[in-house]
């Protein structure tokens, strides 16, 4: 459940990444601190190894005239517990050297014997016999190292005689062991308990700081994720309210600049257009019902009144004719509605062909010729080739609608001029009349469904207000445009532009 939430998944992901990065940095910092500390101690150990090695093999110049080392005092005299064990059958030179070994004063100062954290040393002869050790050397350090210590270094090269083994940590002691070229073993060590304590403190400090940064990062991430996700919640809530029928709902956009803010703005725009389209659809249905109700009312009233008593044949005839006119009007309305429904569904695209608007105009003129004659309106054509691609039936309907209006809204004895031409990448057809024209306030609306500039009068004349709406739908379905210029009292001119 939690892992299906984007917010939790994001949180988990960057929580883990942050933890890995902080742990990496923490371990690195700890290792560096530890390395720095032990490097300093190891340097000190090495310095003391060199001092003892120098004391074991003093330079020839320091020897006295008898060829003896300069420190003749037996070790036992200086420190009885360091007295060498029974010499046994040792060669006289070795016996002499063992007895003679004692750290000279400057080197002895390097070992802080009374201090518990001081450096200590242990020296063994080649045969494993202990030659000397400092008083503060801990018990485990007095154990002779293995006969053959790690003979090779980490890089695989054989360790040279006198080359120290890597310093080692034995409990809380840091020690380095060296085999001199003649075979003595020197071990120098020092307690690092204080340093280990200090390192433990550093580790806790690093862990504490890392933990604090991690928690801060998680809290910051949670805050950003919550703020980032909030618009999505608002979008879903609004979409849910809209789906329950309240199309006026909009998403509250507080961060218009963010990606989700822009998405919310686009969705709000879409909701607004959906609401407008829905309102148009409702208006259209109401208008269609209203338009159909009028002829139905006519039929009902006429028939009820006629059937209320016995009538003369002429009266029946009159009633039937009124019903026929109402039925014809209904048929016209229903055909127009069906045509619009087909256009809205975009069903005419398959039936397009290359044609010339000249033929379309000639066919339409033939269709309205008798209407023009009835109204005593003269039709004038000036046709130039205007090829284009389109549905011939639909384009004929476009020109017929424009011609019917140009005749219907004309004055007796008026004229209609029809021209076709090509202009750039467009085929043009223009229908201009000398009729009543359209008032400026109506011009923006005359292409709307069921819109009539003089609704009462034109409805009575059987005009549906759907002709120009159908015309515009067809033209736009062909990728074209329709424009009107009109001057009340002088006439109107409709121009259709279709892509070649
Ligand atoms: P109608 O069936 O009412 O003619 P249309 O959609 O064809 O419906 O036209 C809408 C309105 O535009 C008409 O009611 C009329 O007021 C106006 N109109 C259309 N063509 C002309 C024209 N040639 N001259 C004047 N008014 C026109």
């Amino acid at each position: 459940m939690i892992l299906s939430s984007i917010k939790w998944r994001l949180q988990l992901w960057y929580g883990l990444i942050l933890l890995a990065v902080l742990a990496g940095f923490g371990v690195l910092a700890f290792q560096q601190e530890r390395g720095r500390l032990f490097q300093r101690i190891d340097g000190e150990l090495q310095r003391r190894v060199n001092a003892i090695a120098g004391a074991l093999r003093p330079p020839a110049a320091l020897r006295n005239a008898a060829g003896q080392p300069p420190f003749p005092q037996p070790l036992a005299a200086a420190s009885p517990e360091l007295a060498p064990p029974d010499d046994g059958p040792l060669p006289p030179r070795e016996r002499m050297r063992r007895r003679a070994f004692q750290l000279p004063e400057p080197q002895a100062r390097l070992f802080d014997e009374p201090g518990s954290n001081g450096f200590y040393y242990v020296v063994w002869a080649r045969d494993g016999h202990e030659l000397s050790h400092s008083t503060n050397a801990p018990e485990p350090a007095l154990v002779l190292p293995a006969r053959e210590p790690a003979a090779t270094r980490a890089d695989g090269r054989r360790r040279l005689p006198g080359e120290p083994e890597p310093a080692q940590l034995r409990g809380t002691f840091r020690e380095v062991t060296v085999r001199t070229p003649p075979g003595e073993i020197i071990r120098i060590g020092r307690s690092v308990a204080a340093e280990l304590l200090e390192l433990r403190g550093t580790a806790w400090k690093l862990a504490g700081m890392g933990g604090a940064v991690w928690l801060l990062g998680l809290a910051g991430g949670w805050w950003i994720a919550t703020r980032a996700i909030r618009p999505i919640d608002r979008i879903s809530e609004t979409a849910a309210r809209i789906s329950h029928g309240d199309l006026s709902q909009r998403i509250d956009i507080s961060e218009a600049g963010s990606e989700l803010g822009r998405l919310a703005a686009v969705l709000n725009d879409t909701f607004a257009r959906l609401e407008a389209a829905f309102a148009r659809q409702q208006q259209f249905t109401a208008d269609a019902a209203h338009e159909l109700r009028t002829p139905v009312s006519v039929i009902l009233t006429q028939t009820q009144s006629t059937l209320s008593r016995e009538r003369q044949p002429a009266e029946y005839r009159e009633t039937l004719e009124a019903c026929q006119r109402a039925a014809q009007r209904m048929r016209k309305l229903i055909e127009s509605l069906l045509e619009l429904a087909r256009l809205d569904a975009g069903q005419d695209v398959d039936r397009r062909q290359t044609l010339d608007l000249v033929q379309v105009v000639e066919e339409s003129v033939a269709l309205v010729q008798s209407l023009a004659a009835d109204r005593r309106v003269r039709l004038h054509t000036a046709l130039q080739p205007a090829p284009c691609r389109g549905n011939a039936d639909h384009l004929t309907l476009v020109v017929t609608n424009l011609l019917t209006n140009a005749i219907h809204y004309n004055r007796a004895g008026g004229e209609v001029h029809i021209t076709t031409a090509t202009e750039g990448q467009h085929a043009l057809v223009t229908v201009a009349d000398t009729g009543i024209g359209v008032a400026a306030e109506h011009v923006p609306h005359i292409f709307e469904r069921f819109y009539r500039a003089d609704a009462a009068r034109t409805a009575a004349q059987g005009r549906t207000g759907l002709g120009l709406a159908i015309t515009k739908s067809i033209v736009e379905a062909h990728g074209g445009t329709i424009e009107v210029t009109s001057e009340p009292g002088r006439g109107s001119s409709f121009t259709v532009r279709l892509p070649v």
Side-chain angles (χ1 to χ4, degrees), residues 85-414:
D86 180 25
D87 286 342
L90 288 172
R93 258 185 84 212
E94 185 60 26
R95 219 175 13 239
M96 175 64 81
R97 207 182 61 72
R98 280 193 197 177
R99 211 178 285 124
F101 181 72
Q102 186 194 25
L103 271 185
E105 189 49 32
Q107 283 96 329
R109 276 204 298 270
L110 290 172
F111 296 94
D112 177 21
E113 297 200 15
S116 57
N117 275 348
F119 287 89
Y120 58 82
Y121 71 86
V122 189
V123 184
W124 289 273
R126 185 172 33 199
D127 61 357
H129 183 90
E130 186 187 306
L131 286 177
S132 171
H133 72 255
S134 57
T135 52
N136 61 343
E139 201 64 38
L142 299 176
V143 178
L144 184 69
R147 189 106 196 111
E148 265 309 314
T152 49
R153 306 184 332 160
D155 62 8
R157 186 168 70 76
R158 201 174 165 73
R159 183 170 289 112
L160 300 169
E163 194 177 339
E165 291 171 33
Q168 280 178 344
L169 204 59
R170 188 212 297 266
T172 58
F173 295 97
R174 183 83 173 164
E175 286 180 348
V176 66
T177 308
V178 182
R179 249 166 230 274
T180 63
E184 291 102 346
I185 301 167
I186 304 168
R187 172 176 286 158
I188 308 291
R190 190 203 139 179
S191 166
V192 287
E195 282 80 1
L196 289 178
L197 208 66
E198 191 185 319
L199 276 177
R200 192 173 304 158
T202 307
W204 276 113
K205 251 186 263 173
L206 282 171
M209 269 167 13
V213 170
W214 189 62
L215 287 177
L216 207 71
L218 282 188
W222 183 257
W223 184 72
I224 291 173
T226 307
R227 276 180 70 88
I229 300 290
R230 203 180 296 152
I232 296 182
D233 291 339
R234 283 204 218 112
I235 290 171
S236 349
E237 283 162 18
T238 310
R241 282 200 294 271
I242 287 176
S243 76
H244 283 106
D246 185 359
L247 289 174
S248 66
Q249 289 291 328
R250 296 289 176 274
I251 303 159
D252 172 25
I253 309 171
S254 46
E255 290 170 38
S258 73
E259 290 85 343
L260 287 174
R262 288 199 294 277
L263 171 67
V266 171
L267 284 175
N268 273 349
D269 194 39
T270 310
F271 294 152
R273 278 192 279 128
L274 265 179
E275 189 185 15
F278 196 71
R280 272 202 307 275
Q281 193 64 40
Q282 277 181 328
Q283 183 64 41
F284 178 70
T285 312
D287 288 346
H290 180 77
E291 292 294 327
L292 281 169
R293 198 171 55 181
T294 312
V296 171
S297 303
V298 169
I299 293 170
L300 282 174
T301 321
Q302 289 282 339
T303 48
Q304 272 171 4
S305 140
T306 308
L307 292 173
S308 61
R309 57 182 168 87
E310 277 302 311
R311 304 272 178 188
Q312 294 299 311
E315 285 176 300
Y316 285 123
R317 184 177 185 83
E318 206 177 301
T319 302
L320 282 174
E321 279 173 356
C323 289
Q324 190 187 30
R325 279 196 301 277
Q328 276 170 345
R329 190 170 163 202
M330 278 200 288
R331 189 178 66 182
K332 192 175 168 194
L333 194 66
I334 289 164
E335 280 173 355
S336 296
L337 289 173
L338 281 174
E339 192 60 55
L340 272 173
R342 274 199 291 269
L343 286 167
D344 286 346
Q347 287 176 355
D348 78 319
V349 182
D350 307 341
R351 291 186 286 143
R352 291 195 186 159
Q353 62 194 60
T354 306
L355 45 83
D356 196 327
L357 286 181
V358 172
Q359 287 153 11
V360 173
V361 168
E362 282 169 351
E363 197 172 325
S364 304
V365 167
L367 285 172
V368 299
Q369 202 74 59
S370 62
L371 179 68
D374 286 352
R375 302 276 176 138
R376 287 188 288 123
V377 172
R378 272 174 294 144
L379 303 179
H380 302 278
T381 52
L383 307 177
Q384 287 176 9
C388 69
R389 237 188 113 63
N391 180 323
D393 292 342
H394 278 160
L395 291 179
T396 305
L397 186 61
V398 165
V399 179
T400 311
N401 277 349
L402 293 177
L403 284 176
T404 312
N405 282 352
I407 295 165
H408 187 85
Y409 299 104
N410 220 318
R411 57 185 163 79

Side-chain angles (χ1 to χ4, degrees), residues 405-406 409 433 437-438 446 451-453 463-468 492 494:
N405 282 352
Y409 299 104
D433 63 63
V438 188
I446 57 173
Y451 190 86
R452 286 167 291 210
R463 311 293 301 175
T464 59
L466 288 174
L468 284 182
S492 314
F494 289 82

Side-chain angles (χ1 to χ4, degrees), residues 57-65 67-70:
R57 306 261 158 224
L62 287 178
R63 292 170 183 250
N64 59 22
Q68 296 298 314

